[in-house]
Structures are given as structure tokens and as C-alpha cells.
Amino acid sequence: NRFGSDGLVILGVNQTFMDDIDAAREFANELDLTFPLVRDDSGNVSSAAFDVRVLPTTIIIGSGGTIESVHLGPMNDEQIEAVVNELSEE
């Protein structure tokens, strides 16, 4: 919410090819996630397109559509803010 006016959009990609959709919903509810969650039923996005091997993985895609940053593991607010600030300075 804090960076929405800067153009930041967050999408969660659930690897439903490895997970149950009900478990994914329960996880999202437990964490009270407010961003859109999409399903990767085949693994084509997570595995084939982005070679995700660690969960969570954060992939920052710039406004031009290029991958700007990849972070393996959880990110805290300070880390996210640093990446957003760095990208907004470019």
C-alpha cells in the first residue's frame, strides 16, 4: 500500500502444481495477504519461466518488463523499501 502511488504492484504466485488450492487459500488467509494471488497450475511460470527453486522467491520486474532483482527467502519491510527506492532512482 505504501508504494502503490509509485507504481509498485505485488502479485503472489502460488505453485499449485505442488500445492493444494485449499491449502493455498488457508495460507493466504492466515497471513492476511491483501495483494492478488494467482495460480501456477502447471509450473510453467515458477519453474520454467523463472527457475524458482527456493520459496519464497521475490522477483522484481521493472516497468520495462525486465527482471531488476531476485531475492531468495523472505524479505522484510526495510529490504523491500530499499529495492523500491533504488529502482525509483533509476
Side-chain angles (χ1 to χ4, degrees):
N1 291 336
R2 195 165 75 209
F3 298 109
S5 62
D6 295 325
L8 178 66
V9 176
I10 296 177
L11 295 175
V13 179
N14 180 270
Q15 293 184 317
T16 12
F17 68 98
M18 294 175 40
D19 200 0
D20 175 89
I21 190 64
D22 292 327
R25 284 188 183 118
E26 184 178 325
F27 177 77
N29 289 334
E30 282 177 22
L31 295 180
D32 197 24
L33 301 179
T34 60
F35 50 84
L37 301 171
V38 296
R39 295 174 24 186
D40 183 7
D41 291 330
S42 66
N44 288 337
V45 174
S46 304
S47 299
F50 292 104
D51 196 29
V52 172
R53 296 174 186 256
V54 175
L55 295 178
T57 294
T58 300
I59 302 170
I60 309 292
I61 301 173
S63 59
T66 59
I67 295 175
E68 300 290 340
S69 174
V70 176
H71 183 87
L72 305 179
M75 290 182 77
N76 61 35
D77 290 345
E78 292 79 23
Q79 291 169 310
I80 295 169
E81 185 172 344
V83 171
V84 170
N85 288 336
E86 182 180 321
L87 290 175
S88 61
E89 291 174 2
E90 294 178 357

